[in-house]
Amino acid sequence: MPLAQREGQSTILSSKVITMAKFFSTAGPIREDKHYFIPVAERIDLEEIFTLIDQEKYFVLHAPRQSGKTTTLLELCKILNKTGSYKCLCINVESAQTARGNVEQAMRIITQDLVRREKIYLPRQLPRPKGRSLLEEILQALMLTRLSKKG
């Protein structure tokens, strides 16, 4: 990060660069450029995970707080997407808690997050019917189904 000096309205950057040392993070997903970490492939049995996924079975990632669960899932998602055989998205549904019992609003929040993350993490990987994302098409289909049940 360059040091900056103010001179009137302009900013002059010195040529001196401060390099921050890496450290162990205990606050959220790690960043390879900032934090020490053990690569996911060395911490979990990827072959076992792929077997469970191929068999369409659930698995649980259970570990203490701040031990790398989110980082592991984000990295696993990247690994799965790189194979070309999977389309993986990670989302956090905690934001839906703000709906406070309103299931329709909670589902809208979750779906909007899915759509946003699909556009960020899977650009042009999922089919985009009529210029929209696959998740937007799913949301429309769900809304039409709900409307037809009311009528």
Side-chain angles (χ1 to χ4, degrees):
M1 178 183 314
L3 293 174
Q5 295 177 300
R6 285 246 177 240
E7 210 175 83
Q9 295 294 336
S10 62
T11 301
I12 300 171
L13 299 176
S14 76
S15 60
K16 186 175 180 180
V17 175
I18 298 173
T19 305
M20 293 202 36
K22 283 187 173 185
F23 60 95
F24 288 99
S25 175
T26 58
I30 60 106
R31 289 190 37 195
E32 293 180 28
D33 60 328
K34 291 186 174 191
H35 306 124
Y36 291 115
F37 70 101
I38 300 170
V40 170
E42 294 177 26
R43 290 185 283 138
I44 63 173
D45 185 348
L46 285 175
E47 187 176 324
E48 181 180 6
I49 298 292
F50 277 95
T51 299
L52 291 170
I53 292 169
D54 288 339
Q55 294 173 354
E56 298 181 6
K57 293 185 178 177
Y58 292 100
F59 62 92
V60 175
L61 181 59
H62 182 75
R65 291 183 70 248
Q66 303 300 320
S67 61
K69 296 179 297 292
T70 300
T71 299
T72 298
L73 287 175
L74 291 170
E75 188 62 27
L76 179 60
C77 192
K78 286 180 191 175
I79 291 168
L80 288 167
N81 286 333
K82 282 182 184 177
T83 68
S85 300
Y86 305 95
K87 303 293 184 244
C88 181
L89 282 175
C90 287
I91 68 160
N92 184 339
V93 296
E94 287 181 23
S95 59
Q97 289 178 341
T98 60
R100 301 278 184 230
N102 183 335
V103 176
E104 189 172 315
Q105 183 183 359
M107 293 305 293
R108 191 176 313 112
I109 291 168
I110 291 169
T111 304
Q112 287 170 346
D113 193 37
L114 279 167
V115 168
R116 184 178 60 81
R117 289 178 183 266
E118 181 231 352
K119 288 177 180 175
I120 294 169
Y121 296 109
L122 297 174
R124 295 178 297 283
Q125 289 188 18
L126 295 178
R128 299 200 184 269
K130 301 176 192 166
R132 295 189 307 200
S133 74
L134 179 61
L135 292 170
E136 288 170 321
E137 289 293 315
I138 291 169
L139 178 60
Q140 181 184 8
L142 289 171
M143 296 301 275
L144 290 174
T145 301
R146 188 160 191 263
L147 289 174
S148 67
K149 286 182 180 179
K150 283 184 176 181

